Amino acid sequence: MPSASPTTSEPLPVLTAETTQRLTARWFALLAVLMAGLAIGGRGFAYIGLPPLIISEIMLALGAMTFLIQPRWRETLSQPLALMILLMLGWALMRTLPYLGQWKLDAIRDFMLLGYMATALMVAAVVMSQPQLLPWLLSKYQLFAKVFLCVMPPLWLIDQAISDDAMPTWPWADHVGIITLKPGDMPVHLGGIAALSIVGLFRGKSIVWTLLLCVLLGVAGAVSRGGLMAFSLAFGMAFLMRPRSAWATRLAIIMTVVVTLAAVSDVSVQVPGRSREFSAQQLLLNVVTIFDDGEAAGDLDDTKTWRLEWWETIYDYTIFGEYFWTGKGFGVNLASDDGFQVFLVSESLRSPHNGHLNVLARAGVPGFVLWCSILAVWCWTLLSAYLQARQRGDTNWAMFFVLLVAYWTALTFNAAVDVYFEGPMGGVWFWAVTGLGFSAAWVYRHHPEVMNVPHAWPRETTEDD
């Protein structure tokens, strides 16, 4: 019998450049939808998914595959900030793997404090490979700003009017309401929208937009000191980097007049389910009590001393104690182990309401130094790019860097006073902005022409506008 001819193996399919671009654009668009949903829907939106995988983890898995098909993924990893992020992720894994057997899913949940850092690498690889996505994203953020200002007032009213027990929950997470909003998160995005206006991309010619922003800020600011401060930092940073913004001046005047009139007329509205009320005096008191302890603060300072004592404890057992090199690792319930648990039955509190000190407590001083270095290098990279753009007269790029720095500042501060980076509402947003920032600086060096498009910049932005 004649011998059978040897079978020839079929070559593995190779993605064409067109297919890669199409898949990348789709993932990038889905990421934008995810971020918008997390900002608007909060924790309720974050629990959409197929348990045990929820929407943010699914997007991370898709993002990892998208990262590997990017033409510039190797160049992305060669960037100094990307290398530091990889070192930080490696250190976090070393402080997680030994505790998987003991703490199981808790160790994985705690690891996500740093696990969301992978989002920065994915976003950076996509932007460096397809720089034209930057102006596209900017135009979509302008749409998000309008949707956010329109949708948040009714959602906030629903969240406040319906008690936690009466709020419908997800079938796979009966402890999470479909609408679950945190008052400290909303001012972060309001700060981003204000920065967008200051740089000239959301002019808010209609008084409606400005009033909606003021109302939302007032309502959230009466409940959250940290959120109010996060907005102020974003607004202040954008104003300092573009001090001749007429819109910023008008907004400051409007807010001052509104608060003054409200204070004179003694306008107040009881916040449902809370001992405090919304009033002009409450807003002023929130600002004052960020820096000053006093009996007049009432329930505003109920947790301030508790937090400071816990943070001091973390300093003691890391910087000055036995956990200097290793931290306590990812998996242990810090609140219970440190003696600051407030939910004695469920032990649901796990983090010290400060993402930066959470890193110190779990990763030790080496991990904390890496963490601070990442933040410092990002700031230096973006501020350097901003100054260079100003010197060259590249106004579009300079204003884009202002927006990123202002947003990043608000996100960073909010994480210092709340449990924020530990979940996707803060983690995905922060690391997406981080990746967007250092990749945008790279794009500016290599492809500065991508920002000269009319749909991203509807009209030329001038310094005295």
Side-chain angles (χ1 to χ4, degrees):
M1 295 181 61
S3 59
S5 60
T7 59
T8 58
S9 58
E10 294 292 333
L12 294 175
V14 178
L15 293 177
T16 64
E18 182 181 355
T19 302
T20 298
Q21 289 182 359
R22 185 170 63 252
L23 292 175
T24 299
R26 288 178 179 175
W27 178 81
F28 204 63
L30 288 175
L31 178 65
V33 172
L34 170 66
M35 294 173 68
L38 292 172
I40 295 172
R43 191 164 178 246
F45 182 89
Y47 269 82
I48 296 176
L50 300 173
L53 294 178
I54 57 178
I55 188 169
S56 55
E57 279 70 21
I58 294 174
M59 282 300 301
L60 281 176
L62 294 175
M65 293 184 286
T66 304
F67 174 85
L68 293 174
I69 65 174
Q70 298 309 305
R72 296 190 181 278
W73 71 269
R74 292 183 179 86
E75 188 170 359
T76 300
L77 295 182
S78 68
Q79 301 301 306
L81 196 63
L83 291 173
M84 297 171 69
I85 290 175
L86 288 175
L87 285 174
M88 186 80 250
L89 285 171
W91 183 258
L93 281 172
M94 290 175 58
R95 302 304 305 135
T96 303
L97 293 178
Y99 305 103
L100 278 176
Q102 179 181 4
W103 301 111
K104 301 179 176 61
L105 284 178
D106 284 340
I108 297 176
R109 291 192 187 100
D110 291 341
F111 169 78
M112 291 310 295
L113 166 67
L114 298 177
Y116 290 118
M117 298 176 82
T119 307
L121 302 179
M122 299 170 190
V123 170
V126 167
V127 170
M128 290 171 62
S129 299
Q130 298 191 36
Q132 71 275 9
L133 289 175
L134 271 182
W136 175 87
L137 181 65
L138 189 56
S139 66
K140 297 307 177 185
Y141 182 73
Q142 296 170 51
L143 175 62
F144 162 80
K146 295 181 179 180
V147 173
F148 187 86
L149 292 178
C150 290
V151 171
M152 289 310 296
L155 283 181
W156 183 264
L157 288 175
I158 293 172
D159 181 62
Q160 293 295 313
I162 301 177
S163 65
D164 293 340
D165 296 334
M167 178 67 70
T169 61
W170 296 113
W172 52 85
D174 57 7
H175 63 291
V176 179
I178 292 178
I179 299 177
T180 306
L181 305 177
K182 289 176 64 178
D185 295 358
M186 184 164 61
V188 171
H189 301 291
L190 293 177
I193 294 172
L196 187 71
S197 299
I198 291 175
V199 301
L201 286 176
F202 189 71
R203 303 311 297 167
K205 289 183 178 179
S206 172
I207 192 65
V208 174
W209 300 119
T210 304
L211 289 177
L212 282 174
L213 190 150
C214 291
V215 168
L216 287 172
L217 179 63
V219 171
V223 182
S224 171
R225 287 176 296 175
L228 186 62
M229 191 63 184
F231 171 86
S232 301
L233 288 173
F235 183 90
M237 184 64 69
F239 185 77
L240 286 174
M241 297 175 75
R242 190 172 188 262
R244 298 175 65 182
S245 169
W247 184 91
T249 303
R250 288 195 297 267
L251 179 62
I253 293 173
I254 290 173
M255 292 177 64
T256 302
V257 170
V258 170
V259 173
T260 301
L261 291 176
V264 171
S265 58
D266 196 22
V267 174
S268 63
V269 178
Q270 184 67 39
V271 179
R274 292 181 178 268
S275 60
R276 72 184 70 166
E277 63 181 8
F278 164 66
S279 64
Q281 291 89 343
Q282 190 69 57
L283 283 174
L284 297 175
L285 186 60
N286 274 359
V287 175
V288 171
T289 54
I290 291 174
F291 308 99
D292 180 43
D293 295 317
E295 295 180 0
D299 70 333
L300 289 174
D301 283 323
D302 286 348
T303 62
K304 188 172 183 179
T305 301
W306 166 78
R307 291 183 186 185
L308 292 176
E309 289 178 353
W310 191 355
W311 297 349
E312 185 177 354
T313 299
I314 293 174
Y315 285 132
D316 288 340
Y317 65 67
T318 52
I319 296 178
F320 305 109
E322 59 181 316
Y323 294 100
F324 180 95
W325 293 107
T326 62
K328 291 191 173 183
F330 295 83
V332 62
N333 187 316
L334 287 180
S336 300
D337 199 63
D338 293 350
F340 290 88
Q341 184 60 254
V342 295
F343 303 109
L344 300 180
V345 177
S346 63
E347 295 191 340
S348 57
L349 177 64
R350 303 186 57 83
S351 303
H353 286 246
N354 187 317
H356 311 289
L357 291 185
N358 198 5
V359 173
L360 174 62
R362 296 189 182 280
V365 173
F368 188 65
V369 170
L370 267 175
W371 173 268
C372 293
S373 299
I374 290 171
L375 303 185
V377 169
W378 191 93
C379 284
W380 176 263
T381 301
L382 268 289
L383 291 176
S384 298
Y386 161 75
L387 292 174
Q388 187 177 38
R390 287 290 299 268
Q391 292 173 355
R392 293 180 176 179
D394 295 328
T395 306
N396 290 355
W397 275 106
M399 295 303 99
F400 183 59
F401 292 135
V402 170
L403 174 63
L404 291 176
V405 170
Y407 225 130
W408 185 89
T409 301
L411 290 161
T412 303
F413 178 83
N414 196 45
V417 294
D418 202 355
V419 181
Y420 196 44
F421 288 167
E422 291 81 353
M425 291 79 71
V428 170
W429 263 92
F430 178 76
W431 291 110
V433 171
T434 299
L436 190 64
F438 80 82
S439 59
W442 181 93
V443 172
Y444 176 57
R445 293 194 300 271
H446 296 85
H447 304 282
E449 71 282 354
V450 299
M451 276 297 180
N452 299 323
V453 290
H455 69 273
W457 301 92
R459 61 185 178 81
E460 186 178 359
T461 304
T462 59
E463 285 299 307
D464 57 353
D465 185 18

